[in-house]
């Protein structure tokens, strides 16, 4: 959901989604691990309709909605596709546009080049090279799941150690969360080792469930921001539908519905989350004895500020009344190794600060450098 831009809804204990390769943009709801195996693409159910991506690097297949690979999951045998959801309400009027000007990159998540016919959904076609980059067919599309160590109830639910490094903001003081929203600065950071799933370092919109015929899951996001140049961002909202319990995702300024994670897949999150986290993650395996040169965010530290460091802005959460509200000062931050990656957060004004950014933070770093050998 960057390099690694993410926000995750957590409910204590073990949480996580399989299938998130390190080195890509990612935004996702954390599912229980026993129910979170990725859903592979069924070559035999594809429609003959297919289109090229904006940059020519991907092939997008238009798959009949009722035959999309997600429905192969055994828990979804009798699932009926939900066509719409009750959107969260805003707690206060949106803030005015601010002096730090950025533009939306959401229009370029493939759908600007065309869209699939009604009744179908766009899915990026997996290639032979995609499969060969994985350790095996079993590992294709999955990330390694590590058991997190014991932690206190108010600590962020992340896997520290084993090479995992973070720069994140997370909610404090407990609570019940039914969704989260953020606007995320889009960069194309340098990745020392090519991501296993896509074979490149381009930021991508990544989930395993889709219903929208215009937004292709897995397609690259463009344009991207440049250092001290034009800035681009995307807005992502994930929330629980109060009627049917599915966890929905919308994308872009207009809140286009991308799809949802069916309620049948969850046990803990069948009710609500108790923590929300936003930020970046890099895995450093130190294969040559040195810290990875994989960048997070823009590849520059948080002190650089606007147009130099990556950011998340307008951090919001959804409450039990299905209302969106700013997190204000109700967040803390974590960065295990600030010589490699760091974060600086700002509370803003819950009613909309002068910048129109609400609660926000800058984050990122270059990885390997003289202070991070």
């Amino acid at each position: 959901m960057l390099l690694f831009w993410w926000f995750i809804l957590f409910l204590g204990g073990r949480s996580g989604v399989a299938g998130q390769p390190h080195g890509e943009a990612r935004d996702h709801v954390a599912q229980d691990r026993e129910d979170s195996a990725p859903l592979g693409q069924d070559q035999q159910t594809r429609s003959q309709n297919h289109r090229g991506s904006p940059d020519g690097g991907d092939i997008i297949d238009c798959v009949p909605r009722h035959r999309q690979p997600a429905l192969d999951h055994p828990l979804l045998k009798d699932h009926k596709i939900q066509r719409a959801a009750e959107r969260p309400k805003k707690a206060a009027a949106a803030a005015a546009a601010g002096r730090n000007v950025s533009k939306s990159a959401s229009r370029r998540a493939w759908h600007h080049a065309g869209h699939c016919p009604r009744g179908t959904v766009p899915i990026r076609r997996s290639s032979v090279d995609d499969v060969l980059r994985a350790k095996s067919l079993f590992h294709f599309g999955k990330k390694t799941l590590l058991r997190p160590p014991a932690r206190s109830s108010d600590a962020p639910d992340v896997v520290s150690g084993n090479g995992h490094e973070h720069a994140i903001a997370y909610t404090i003081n407990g609570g019940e969360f039914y969704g989260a929203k953020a606007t995320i600065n889009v960069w194309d950071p340098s990745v020392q080792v090519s991501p296993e799933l896509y074979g490149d370092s381009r930021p991508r919109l990544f989930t395993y469930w889709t219903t929208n015929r215009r937004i292709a899951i897995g397609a690259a996001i463009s344009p991207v921001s440049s250092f001290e140049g034009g800035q681009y961002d995307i807005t992502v909202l994930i929330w629980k539908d109060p009627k049917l319990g599915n966890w929905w995702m919308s994308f872009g300024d207009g809140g286009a519905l991308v799809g949802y994670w069916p309620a049948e897949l969850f046990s803990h999150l069948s009710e609500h989350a108790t923590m929300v986290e936003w930020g970046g993650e890099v895995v450093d395996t130190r294969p040559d004895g040195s810290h990875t040169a994989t960048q997070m965010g823009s590849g520059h530290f948080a002190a650089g500020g606007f147009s130099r460091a990556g950011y998340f802005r307008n951090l919001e959460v959804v409450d039990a009344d299905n209302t969106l509200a700013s997190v204000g000062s109700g967040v803390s931050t974590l960065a295990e190794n600030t010589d490699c990656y760091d974060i600086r957060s700002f509370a803003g004004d819950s009613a909309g600060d002068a910048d129109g950014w609400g609660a926000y933070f800058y984050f990122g770093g270059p990885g390997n450098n003289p202070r991070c050998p």
Side-chain angles (χ1 to χ4, degrees):
M1 246 138 164
L2 350 235
L3 182 83
F4 302 90
W5 302 331
W6 55 323
F7 72 87
I8 307 178
L9 306 178
F10 278 98
L11 174 81
R14 300 194 304 271
S15 300
V17 170
Q20 297 285 17
H22 297 293
E24 65 184 74
R26 61 178 187 171
D27 299 279
H28 63 270
V29 173
Q31 299 180 15
D32 303 304
R33 286 181 173 161
E34 64 268 25
D35 292 336
S36 61
L39 304 174
Q41 294 188 7
D42 182 351
Q43 299 285 347
Q44 296 180 347
T45 63
R46 287 202 180 109
S47 162
Q48 294 300 311
N49 293 301
H50 63 272
R51 301 173 183 272
S53 70
D55 55 15
D58 297 323
I59 295 177
I60 307 300
D61 288 305
C62 299
V63 180
R65 183 186 293 116
H66 66 283
R67 299 173 68 185
Q68 61 181 293
L71 293 173
D72 294 337
H73 195 290
L75 293 178
L76 304 179
K77 180 180 179 181
D78 299 316
H79 182 79
K80 294 182 179 180
I81 295 177
Q82 183 181 2
R83 300 300 178 89
E86 182 179 335
R87 296 175 184 266
K89 306 176 289 291
K90 288 290 290 185
R99 57 179 177 272
N100 288 338
V101 179
S102 56
K103 301 176 181 178
S104 172
S106 60
R107 68 183 184 278
R108 297 291 295 276
W110 175 73
H111 68 288
H112 82 292
H115 57 268
C116 284
R118 292 187 181 279
T120 67
V121 294
I123 298 177
R124 175 186 176 274
R125 179 182 297 181
S126 295
S127 68
V128 172
D129 288 339
D130 292 334
V131 178
L132 292 177
R133 278 191 295 272
K135 295 178 181 179
S136 66
L137 285 175
F138 175 80
H139 290 93
F140 174 62
K142 298 179 181 179
K143 77 170 184 179
T144 302
L145 295 178
L146 300 175
R147 298 297 182 186
R151 65 183 185 90
S152 60
S153 60
D154 59 348
D157 191 356
V158 296
V159 179
S160 296
N162 297 308
H164 289 247
E165 297 182 27
H166 306 85
I168 63 171
Y170 60 95
T171 54
I172 55 177
N173 303 323
E176 296 182 357
F177 302 104
Y178 295 80
K181 184 178 182 180
T183 296
I184 309 166
N185 195 198
V186 178
W187 291 83
D188 187 3
S190 171
V191 181
Q192 187 172 16
V193 180
S194 296
E196 291 185 356
L197 186 59
Y198 297 115
D200 58 48
S201 63
R202 291 177 298 171
R204 295 175 180 271
L205 177 65
F206 183 80
T207 68
Y208 272 110
W209 180 269
T210 180
T211 62
N212 189 296
R213 67 191 181 97
R214 296 177 181 270
I215 300 175
I217 298 304
I221 299 172
S222 66
V224 297
S225 303
S226 60
F227 186 76
E228 296 185 341
Q231 300 299 296
Y232 297 88
D233 53 31
I234 61 173
T235 298
V236 176
L237 165 64
I238 295 177
W239 80 100
K240 181 183 178 183
D241 177 61
K243 294 181 178 179
L244 297 182
N246 299 320
W247 286 85
W248 278 83
M249 174 180 173
S250 69
F251 179 71
D253 294 339
L257 293 177
V258 176
Y260 61 93
W261 291 265
E264 294 94 325
L265 300 180
F266 300 98
S267 55
H268 293 325
L269 279 173
S270 63
E271 296 298 327
H272 56 76
T274 56
M275 180 177 288
V276 180
E277 300 174 0
W278 301 262
E281 177 185 19
V282 166
V283 175
D284 174 28
T285 59
R286 304 181 73 91
D288 58 1
S290 299
H291 193 283
T292 179
T294 293
Q295 299 175 337
M296 181 188 293
S298 68
H300 295 267
F301 289 111
F306 185 75
S307 81
R308 292 175 289 276
Y311 62 78
F312 276 61
R313 62 179 174 90
N314 299 107
L315 306 183
E316 297 178 292
V317 291
V318 180
D319 64 18
D321 294 326
N322 202 31
T323 300
L324 265 172
S326 173
V327 297
S329 60
V331 295
S332 187
T333 60
L334 167 72
E336 296 98 336
N337 190 344
T338 55
D339 288 334
C340 305
Y341 314 103
D342 68 356
I343 181 170
R344 294 188 180 187
S345 65
F346 304 86
D349 182 342
S350 60
D353 68 339
D355 290 340
W357 278 31
Y360 66 98
F361 62 84
Y362 291 107
F363 77 111
N368 183 271
N369 69 82
R371 293 188 296 142
C372 178

